[in-house]
Amino acid sequence: MVTKTSAPAAANASRSKSDKTRAERVRRLVTHVGLIAFGLVMLYPLLWMLSSSFKPTEEIFRDPSLLPGANFMPGNYTEGWTALQHPFHHYMLNSAVVVAGSIIGNLVGCSMAAYAFARLEFRGKKLFFAIMMMTIMLPIHVVIVPQYILFANIGWINTFLPLIVPKLLATDGFFIFLMVQFIRGLPKDLDEAARIDGCGHVRIFLRIILPLSAPALATTSIFTFIWTWNDFFSQLIFLTDPNMYTVPVALRTFVDSSSQTSWGPLFAMSVVALGPVFGFFLAGQRYLVKGIATTGIK
Amino acid sequence: MSALLQRRKPAAPDTASAAPSAAAPDRGRAPNRKRRETLAAYGFLAPWFVGLAFITIGPMAASLYFSFTDYSLIGDPRWVGLENYERMLTDERLHNSLQVTFTYVFVSVPLQLGMALALAMVLDRGVRGLPIYRSVYYLPSLLGGSVAIAILWRQIFGADGLINQVLGFFGIQGEGWVSHPDYALGTLIVLNVWTFGAPMVIFLAGLRQIPAMYYEAASVDGAGPARRFLMITVPLLTPIIFFNLVLQMINAFQTFTQAFIVSGGTGGPTDSTLFYTLYLYQRGFGAFDMGYASAMAWLLLMIIGGFTAVNFLASKYWVFYGD
């Protein structure tokens, strides 16, 4: 272990001999032990929830360990799945519709706006860009009451439209910003060449900019997925019919309706709710890290 | 905010330089091409314009109007002038919710950023397996805002929860943390600190941009680790510290889900987790007191805008943009 940790030092050209000293090796070992211990503390609650979701409820309140209990209980999952008015996949399907619509909306609406901001010159560009940046910081609470009134008047409450249509209208300025940054980094020669060949803006956008922006589009999709899947506030407000509940809203009614005895099923369904986020996290880590590093929002 | 990005892509044209070049004479057949380009731009921006009008600015204006009315969704809004704002002056639950929110912001954000910077510093020193550590520490940021994690928190800090089970090993009898008015807010602060991964990743990206030769030069001159940190790392990282500070504060002011789930929507025990947004929700969508909720929303906007402005003004004195 000790010799292993010093191995990368050789690859690190800037630091040469001094790395191989004993003190340095000990320091590295201590660093790793510390980082691993800290990581375990960070992840412990998550791992414990996973393990507890297979235990009977009494054990959840008695057993802080990660070990599987004497009686392995997949029953929490079947019980939790049917505990609410609809089976849990009903809510997952609703969430999936909202998420899919939001992703498509953000990809279409934001990439169009981003192309204009990044590549075209027009009157008012500076002002509009500044307004767009300010909307990123606008708390949703400032607009939620009138939005609710507006959507109630056109009969959109208890539909997914209030959650999806705004995305299509590029109201998530953050993603416009992310794409603007990305498109600005693309070489302009390609657009120029296409323009000389007689391509209009629509074709340059569709044939050149969009394909080259795939990484930014992937980042947008992953973040939209995770944020929409986790979003609670707007779904709580716009969806009040149990038939339309999404996963977070359904989980909330589950907490409210459950007594001390149903924590096992509640944990099981919480694990189910986190599963897709975790999956996307594993699949899209590269894009996530790059995305927050360039734009800086979680 | 843009400073961070300009540092990354110095060659990219930014909006500041874009405006003058638009005014400058173009090559040859300029006017026609320019007009076409403007038309195209407005076309591409059409969805955004509609969204801005109907989803953002329109509702903002409506919200301002409603804040001067008494409106319960049934019937028409009734103009009441400044009544809602006057009520806010004497509404003790509102004052309490402000205190809860401020405490949360000013305690949890510095702790979260401190933790993020400390871990980023450790990871930046060429630690092997950096991507794995980074992912592990980042994961809670992605999950932290969800209902499921709030449910977990409610159990962990409950009377028979995980924390007390662990404390029990050491013979300590813990409180029911989430149900104790002195500690409930603390459990939510812990939750926010737990999500330090996102700012940490940003710090890591920033640290990577500091040229190694600065450190080498300082070492040659005899500067120890503490001095190198204070004289090189901190000054060069101030734009990113600032950026994280602004974002995390704006986020923290809007905390809702965690408080809602952990307290069962009440903000209890005894309003100790009644966050501003939670109270706003109760007034607006519990009591359907839309006028008052709108006035509260505008106060929130003022507060967040005010703090962001202060942050930007103060940044002149401590943020170092180099070049």
Side-chain angles (χ1 to χ4, degrees), chain B residues 228-262:
Chain B
R228 289 202 298 265
F229 175 73
L230 285 175
M231 308 306 281
I232 299 174
T233 312
V234 171
L236 289 176
L237 215 54
T238 45
I240 289 157
I241 297 174
F242 170 65
F243 178 74
N244 272 333
L245 182 71
V246 169
L247 281 178
Q248 295 304 330
M249 274 181 73
I250 292 176
N251 278 339
F253 268 117
Q254 300 177 54
T255 302
F256 175 81
T257 305
Q258 300 88 318
F260 186 94
I261 297 297
V262 169

Side-chain angles (χ1 to χ4, degrees), chain B residues 214-227:
Chain B
Y214 288 5
Y215 291 109
E216 282 156 20
S219 296
V220 170
D221 288 348
R227 251 183 101 81

Side-chain angles (χ1 to χ4, degrees), chain A residues 61-81:
Chain A
F61 288 95
R62 256 198 349 249
D63 181 12
S65 76
L66 295 180
L67 302 171
N71 18 10
F72 180 77
M73 290 247 311
N76 281 338
Y77 283 83
T78 46
E79 197 182 314
W81 206 270

Side-chain angles (χ1 to χ4, degrees), chain A residues 74-84 86-89 91 254 262 264-269 272:
Chain A
N76 281 338
Y77 283 83
T78 46
E79 197 182 314
W81 206 270
T82 51
L84 296 173
H86 296 278
F88 208 73
H89 59 255
Y91 307 116
F254 199 173
S262 52
L266 185 56
F267 266 18
M269 289 308 102
V272 170

Side-chain angles (χ1 to χ4, degrees), chain A residues 45-115:
Chain A
L46 296 174
L47 298 171
W48 182 77
M49 174 153 84
L50 181 62
S51 117
S52 295
S53 69
F54 291 105
K55 291 176 189 169
T57 296
E58 321 85 70
E59 262 178 56
I60 295 178
F61 288 95
R62 256 198 349 249
D63 181 12
S65 76
L66 295 180
L67 302 171
N71 18 10
F72 180 77
M73 290 247 311
N76 281 338
Y77 283 83
T78 46
E79 197 182 314
W81 206 270
T82 51
L84 296 173
Q85 192 177 339
H86 296 278
F88 208 73
H89 59 255
H90 180 91
Y91 307 116
M92 296 187 79
L93 213 60
N94 283 347
S95 271
V97 172
V98 173
V99 166
S102 300
I103 291 177
I104 294 169
N106 271 341
L107 287 180
V108 174
C110 296
S111 67
M112 285 173 67
Y115 176 71

Side-chain angles (χ1 to χ4, degrees), chain A residues 2-15:
Chain A
V2 176
T3 45
K4 232 181 171 178
T5 49
S6 68
N12 198 341
S14 67
R15 306 173 191 175

